[in-house]
Amino acid sequence: MTEITLAVNGTAKTVDVEPRRLLADVLRNDFNLSGVHIGCAHGACGCCTVQIDGVPRLSCLTFAVQCENVEITTVESMGGPDATHILQQAFKSEHGLQCGYCTPGFIMTLAPYVDTMLAQRRMPSDEEIREAMSGNICRCTGYHGIVSAVRKAIGDQLGSEAAA
Amino acid sequence: MRPASFGYHKATDLAHALALLAEFGDDGRPLAGGQSLVPMMNLRLARPAHLVDINALPLTAIERRGDVLHVGALVRHHRYLSDPLIAAHFPAFLEAVHWIGHPTIRNHGSIGGSISHADPTAELPAICLLYDATIIASSTGGDRRIAARDFFLGAYVTALQPGEMVTAVEFPIPPAKSTGAFIELGERRGDFAIASVGVALQWSGRQITGAAVVCCGARLVPIRASEVENLLIGRQLDAPDAAAIGRRFANTIEPVSDHSGSSAYRKHLIGELTRRTIERACQQALETA
C-alpha cells in the first residue's frame, strides 16, 4: 500500500492505496464521487473522463498513485446537484442525454473545449465539435443533441457578450 | 477488468529510470502516458511486475539538430499539431496525427509509448517507417540507434531488449521541397484503423524526384511499398497515374482476413487508399508550387 494525498475538487485528502488502483475507482470508492462513471475500463468509451490540471484525462487509464501534486476535478465540481453549469443546462434543453451514463464524461471533455472556443470568440463547425468529442461514446442520443448543446453553450455566451 | 498488482517506481531522472529498468529486466516497463499500456494491463494482456513512471523526465524536446528533427520520447501527440518544423518538413506526419485516437488520448499519449507498444495499425510507427526515422533505445549499457525498418518486428513486438527504453526518435529532414498525405479508414472516428496509407514526396519543377509510401493493414507491421515508390519517381505531379499505382501495390500484398474485413476487402481498400493518398499529396504540392 502507498499513502498518497490527492487534491480533488479543491479539497485535499490522504488515502492509502495499492499502486494498481485506478484513479476512477479511487474517486468513486474513497472520495464517494459517483459521478465518475466507468463504462469499459480500458479507455474506449470516455465515460470516466475527469480533468487533471484542467485537461481532460481518462481516469481508467490513470493510476491514483500518479496523481499527487495535481488538481483533479470531476463532474461534481461543475454545476452541483442542480446541474447549473451552462453546458449542463444546454445538454438538458437540447436533449443531449437520455440515460445519462455517458454524460459526466462528455461534460468533462467538452467544458474546456467550450472555454477554448469562447476565448477564441468563435463558433466551431459541427465537424470540429464531433472531432472534439470523438473520444466519448453515447448509445442513446445519436450525438445530434450533444452537438446542439455545445453550439448552444457557445452561442448563448457569445451572444450575451455581444449584447452586453 | 482491473490490472494485476505491480510495484510503482517514480523515476527522478534518466539515470534513475534506466537503473530501475536494468534491475527489473523483463519484469519492468516504463510508464509514460499510459494510453496503450494501461488498457493492456486492465485487460490483463500485460502484467508487468514493476512500472517505472518516466513522466518527470525531460524527454520533451521537438527540435532541429543538424540534419535531423529530434523528438523526445515523452513528446505528447497533440504538440505536433502546432509545431512549425513538423508542418514545414513532414506534412504526412502532421496529417497522421489527426488520426491518432482522439483529443484526450493525444493530450497524454507519447511517441515513445506508441512505438514501443507497436500496434499494427498505429500511426506513429507508420510515420517512423515512412520518413526513415532512427529510434534511440537507451539502457545502462548506453544508447542503441535502430532504424525504423529494423525496429517493428511483429504485432506488439519490437527490437527493444529488456532494460531498454526509447528515449528519442530522429527524423532526417528531407533535402528538397516535400509534400505528403496520410489517409486512414476505421469503423468510426477515433477508433483503430482497418488500413491506412502515408505518402511522402519530394519534387522539383513539376516532377516527382523522391517518393516513399507506407501502409498499415496489409501485414501485422507497417510496410513500405518499395516497388511502387520507384514507379512514382519521374512522374508529373499533375499526372501521377495514382489509380494504376494503387492497383499495382494491392496486387503485391496478401492481407489477412479478420473481424473488420476479408483479405479481398483490405486489398481493394489499400489500393484505393494508395490512390487517394498519392493524389492528395500531389494536389497539395501543386497548390504550394
Side-chain angles (χ1 to χ4, degrees), chain B residues 14-31:
Chain B
L14 180 59
H16 185 210
L18 297 180
L20 288 167
L21 290 169
E23 179 189 342
F24 301 137
D26 244 346
D27 295 327
R29 292 284 295 274
L31 174 66

Side-chain angles (χ1 to χ4, degrees), chain B residues 181-245:
Chain B
F182 191 95
I183 302 180
E184 179 170 314
L185 190 94
E187 285 184 46
R188 61 189 74 75
R189 195 187 306 224
D191 207 338
F192 291 98
I194 297 169
S196 58
V197 172
V199 172
L201 301 177
Q202 276 82 57
W203 85 95
S204 176
R206 288 192 156 229
Q207 193 172 51
I208 296 169
T209 56
V213 178
V214 72
C215 166
C216 289
R219 285 180 49 204
L220 292 176
V221 289
I223 57 169
R224 283 278 291 267
S226 329
E227 187 191 334
V228 301
E229 288 173 1
N230 292 330
L231 291 176
L232 277 166
I233 294 169
R235 293 197 177 181
Q236 299 295 309
L237 286 171
D238 54 1
D241 199 8
I245 287 178

Side-chain angles (χ1 to χ4, degrees), chain A residues 18-20 22 25 38 40-43 49 55-58 60-63 65-66 109 127 130-132 134-135, chain B residues 1-6 8 31 33-35 38-39 41-44 51 53 55 102-104 106-108 189:
Chain A
E18 277 185 89
R20 75 188 193 103
L22 303 175
D25 289 324
I38 300 174
C40 68
H42 61 265
T49 306
V55 178
R57 172 142 188 139
L58 297 169
C60 77
L61 298 188
T62 309
F63 298 112
V65 288
Q66 296 179 271
T109 303
E127 180 151 350
R130 286 174 186 274
E131 168 66 18
S134 60
Chain B
M1 283 170 64
R2 298 297 184 272
S5 293
F6 59 84
Y8 174 78
L31 174 66
Q35 306 299 293
V38 183
M41 291 175 64
N42 289 2
L43 295 165
R44 303 266 177 134
L51 286 188
D53 188 336
N55 283 290
H102 47 72
T104 306
R106 294 200 290 265
N107 280 335
H108 301 286
R189 195 187 306 224

